[in-house]
Amino acid sequence: ISLHPEGDSLAFLYTVPLQEKLNANTLEKVLPTFADNKEIAHKDTLNNRIYSFPSGGKDAILHVVYHKDIIFASYADSLILKLIDQKTEKLDAKQIDYFVQNNSRNSPLSVYFAHQQIAAVASHFLRDAKGDIVGQFAELGGESAWNLNYKNDALILSGESKMNPNKQSYLGLFAEQEKTVQGLYRYFPENTALFMEYAVSNKALFQSQLTTLLNSRQEWTKLENQFVEMERSNKLSLQEDINPLFGNNFAVVELSNQVEIAFISLSDSVQFKEKSNSWASSIDEDIYRF
């Protein structure tokens, strides 16, 4: 089963690969057995025959086509037409190979994402006033293959993701980072609804690529001016005095009341307390305001 944005809604496509080829006569005989004695309509287009199964209303007609030894079905006839049209762009073969390679036969459910389609699909499930997290996937290339795992108190999807290096995508900057330990989630509030936790293994590379990205978006100059003003008023260097105090993990958390909180790890909490007096005020023993 796959999801496809069609206009202002999502269409389901049901895909049934067959182990043996079917000839046209066999198909004509088999399909009526699924129609509950209702008349099946059909039309021939793009060298394929599309069958229509009525099931109660104008928007409840199941359209079925046998194409390349696979039976496809959808309630959206526009999706079926795109499917059999050779001019319509399909998933890259390398993405499909990735899904096959990372498929778990022992999992009762597997979920596959073509990253370039995440933003379009997700927009149909989100409220109008959505945050910035989903938007980060808009220009992201690559693919993910997740399998369902069980825990005594949760259902978890876990697996592998592959990202294409993309200088125009924020998340794409992480494609050249190595896997590393992440642990900020231990400090998140109980009413956390959604979070993104990030980690970098090569901080210098990440910051260099981030600067390039912000320059291409014409956002870097404004930030740089803010940094220069901060350095002038506090008589310190962002790169030499502040940056070394922070670690390689950070996170953005959205609470159930839609309030957002940011987290960042410290490289040395003792040095942080000693050197942050000029640009951060202590509110509590371990809480500071920037």
Side-chain angles (χ1 to χ4, degrees):
I1 302 175
S2 53
L3 293 172
H4 302 260
E6 287 289 300
D8 59 355
S9 63
L10 281 176
F12 286 85
L13 177 67
Y14 304 92
T15 303
V16 185
L18 303 181
Q19 293 182 334
E20 297 179 3
K21 287 187 176 183
L22 288 179
N23 60 49
N25 291 332
T26 302
L27 197 62
E28 294 280 358
K29 293 178 181 178
V30 170
L31 286 179
T33 63
F34 301 101
D36 295 330
N37 297 320
K38 294 179 182 177
E39 185 177 351
I40 301 176
H42 65 78
K43 64 179 179 180
D44 296 316
T45 182
L46 298 173
N47 298 318
N48 285 268
R49 173 163 288 189
I50 301 175
Y51 300 89
S52 298
F53 289 75
S55 52
K58 187 177 80 169
D59 297 326
I61 299 175
L62 185 66
H63 306 280
V64 179
V65 65
Y66 178 60
H67 181 65
K68 295 186 176 181
D69 302 329
I70 300 173
I71 291 178
F72 296 96
S74 176
Y75 288 98
D77 57 348
S78 57
L79 182 56
I80 294 294
L81 291 173
K82 288 180 182 178
L83 173 75
I84 61 178
D85 186 357
Q86 295 185 3
K87 296 179 181 179
T88 302
E89 184 179 359
K90 308 297 193 302
L91 280 183
D92 190 284
K94 292 182 179 179
Q95 289 188 304
I96 298 175
D97 289 341
Y98 182 86
F99 298 151
V100 173
Q101 292 166 7
N102 289 277
N103 178 43
S104 174
R105 296 289 182 180
N106 297 323
S107 175
L109 175 68
S110 296
V111 180
Y112 307 112
F113 291 98
H115 291 171
Q116 71 270 20
Q117 296 178 340
I118 289 178
V121 172
S123 64
H124 292 280
F125 296 100
L126 300 172
R127 58 178 179 264
D128 292 335
K130 53 183 178 289
D132 297 325
I133 288 180
V134 174
Q136 295 179 34
F137 293 91
E139 302 295 331
L140 184 66
E143 47 277 335
S144 294
W146 299 347
N147 298 297
L148 182 66
N149 289 296
Y150 288 96
K151 197 179 174 184
N152 58 359
D153 60 349
L155 294 176
I156 301 172
L157 285 168
S158 62
E160 292 292 326
S161 294
K162 180 181 178 182
M163 292 189 295
N164 300 332
N166 183 353
K167 298 301 191 319
Q168 299 303 313
S169 164
Y170 178 70
L171 289 186
L173 303 183
F174 292 86
E176 297 181 55
Q177 300 291 324
E178 301 295 329
K179 288 184 178 180
T180 184
V181 177
Q182 294 174 279
L184 285 177
Y185 64 88
R186 299 187 185 97
Y187 304 100
F188 296 166
E190 288 186 3
N191 62 329
T192 294
L194 177 69
F195 73 88
M196 285 280 284
E197 183 174 355
Y198 312 79
V200 295
S201 58
N202 188 328
K203 197 174 185 179
L205 173 64
F206 177 76
Q207 290 181 326
S208 172
Q209 292 179 334
L210 179 60
T211 301
T212 301
L213 172 65
L214 294 175
N215 263 316
S216 70
R217 295 180 176 179
Q218 299 182 340
E219 297 174 2
W220 174 249
T221 301
K222 181 179 179 180
L223 281 174
E224 190 175 36
N225 291 338
Q226 291 177 349
F227 296 151
V228 170
E229 178 61 32
M230 183 186 69
E231 290 176 347
R232 184 187 297 115
S233 60
N234 292 285
K235 296 180 180 180
L236 48 79
S237 167
L238 180 68
Q239 292 300 327
E240 295 178 8
D241 298 319
I242 297 180
N243 197 34
L245 300 178
F246 294 114
N248 293 356
N249 294 54
F250 50 101
V252 177
V253 174
E254 183 177 335
L255 305 182
S256 56
N257 59 2
Q258 300 181 27
V259 170
E260 289 187 344
I261 305 176
F263 288 76
I264 187 168
S265 63
L266 301 178
S267 60
D268 188 321
S269 58
V270 174
Q271 281 203 12
F272 179 84
K273 288 185 177 182
E274 292 177 354
K275 295 186 176 182
S276 64
N277 291 332
S278 62
W279 47 274
S281 57
S282 176
I283 298 176
D284 204 338
E285 182 180 359
D286 293 313
I287 300 178
Y288 296 81
R289 175 183 287 122
F290 291 77

